[in-house]
Amino acid sequence: MTYFSRAGINMVAGRQQQLVVGNTARVAIAIADKVSVATNTIEAVEPYPDSYQLTLARARREADQQTWPPVERTPMRVGKVLLLGFPIWGGDLPRPVATWLRQTQLSGVTIYPFCTHEGSRFGTSLTTIANLCPAATVGLGLPVRGNRVQQADAAVRHWLVDNGLLQSTN
Ligand SMILES: Cc1cc2nc3c(=O)[nH]c(=O)nc-3n(C[C@H](O)[C@H](O)[C@H](O)COP(=O)(O)O)c2cc1C
C-alpha cells in the first residue's frame, strides 16, 4: 500500500480543522488493520504548509501548470497489487502522486485506488491514473468522505472483500 496524506489545517464539512493524522492516512490505517501489507507514504520533498489556504494556492498552481513536484525516493517494492491512497485536490489527485506514479514501474500491476474527499468522490483522478499508468489495470476504487473516515470500517472491509483481498468471513 502506498498513500499520500497531508496532516495540518483542512476543511472538514465546511469548517477549518487541525488534523493531526490526515484523513487518507486514517483510511490507510483501517486497511492495514485488516490486510497485512507493507505501507509506504509518498512525501513531497518540499512539504505542504500547515495552512489550508497556502496549500490550496500551491496545489492550484501545481495543477494548473501540471508540474511534477519532486517526491522522496524511498526504496519500495511494488507487488502485483497496489493499494493507492490519496486525497482529492482540485477534483484530481495531488501532483506529488502523479510524480510518484510516473516514476514507478507499474506495468502488469493492478491498482486499487482509495481516496478521501469533501464531495468530489474520485473526480477525474481515475482517468489520471489510467493515463499515467497505461500498462497497469485500475480496479474498483473506494472513495471516503473526509468527515466520515472514522466510520469507514465497514466500507473498507466490503471494498477489500469485493476485490478479493480479504475473506468475507474475517
Ligand atoms: C488543496 C486542497 C484541495 C482540495 N480540493 C478538493 C476537491 O476538489 N474536492 C473535494 O471533494 N475535496 C477537496 N479537498 C478536500 C480533501 O480532499 C479532503 O479534506 C481529504 O480528506 C484530505 O485528505 P488528507 O487529510 O489525507 O490530506 C481539498 C483539500 C485540499 C487541502
Side-chain angles (χ1 to χ4, degrees):
M1 172 162 61
T2 296
Y3 69 90
F4 173 85
S5 183
R6 175 189 152 271
I9 296 171
N10 207 335
M11 289 292 259
V12 180
R15 283 166 188 242
Q16 293 211 7
Q17 225 180 71
Q18 174 79 39
L19 301 181
V20 180
V21 178
N23 289 329
T24 310
R26 284 196 189 275
V27 176
I29 291 163
I31 293 168
D33 190 47
K34 294 167 187 56
V35 289
S36 99
V37 281
T39 300
N40 304 290
T41 56
I42 299 171
E43 308 282 349
V45 169
E46 186 195 331
Y48 288 85
D50 197 56
S51 152
Y52 173 72
Q53 292 302 337
L54 291 177
T55 298
L56 199 61
R58 177 172 152 194
R60 280 203 179 125
R61 194 174 63 244
E62 290 172 346
D64 286 351
Q65 300 172 3
Q66 293 284 286
T67 61
W68 305 97
V71 295
E72 300 289 353
R73 289 185 72 56
T74 44
M76 54 176 88
R77 201 179 54 82
V78 177
K80 284 281 145 214
V81 167
L82 171 68
L83 304 177
L84 177 71
F86 49 86
I88 295 298
W89 282 6
D92 205 340
L93 40 77
R95 291 304 294 173
V97 179
T99 305
W100 186 84
L101 288 172
R102 191 170 78 159
Q103 286 177 357
T104 308
Q105 175 54 259
L106 293 170
S107 66
V109 173
T110 302
I111 302 172
Y112 294 106
F114 61 97
C115 78
T116 66
H117 65 93
E118 277 296 309
S120 298
R121 296 176 65 88
F122 273 107
T124 54
S125 62
L126 299 180
T127 309
T128 303
I129 294 170
N131 288 339
L132 287 168
C133 314
T137 304
V138 182
L140 187 67
L142 173 72
V144 181
R145 223 178 219 278
N147 60 333
R148 303 217 185 106
V149 288
Q150 312 272 33
Q151 295 97 55
D153 231 57
V156 166
R157 185 173 290 279
H158 283 135
W159 176 65
L160 291 169
V161 169
D162 287 350
N163 284 321
L165 302 170
L166 182 70
Q167 302 241 314
S168 56
T169 47
N170 279 9

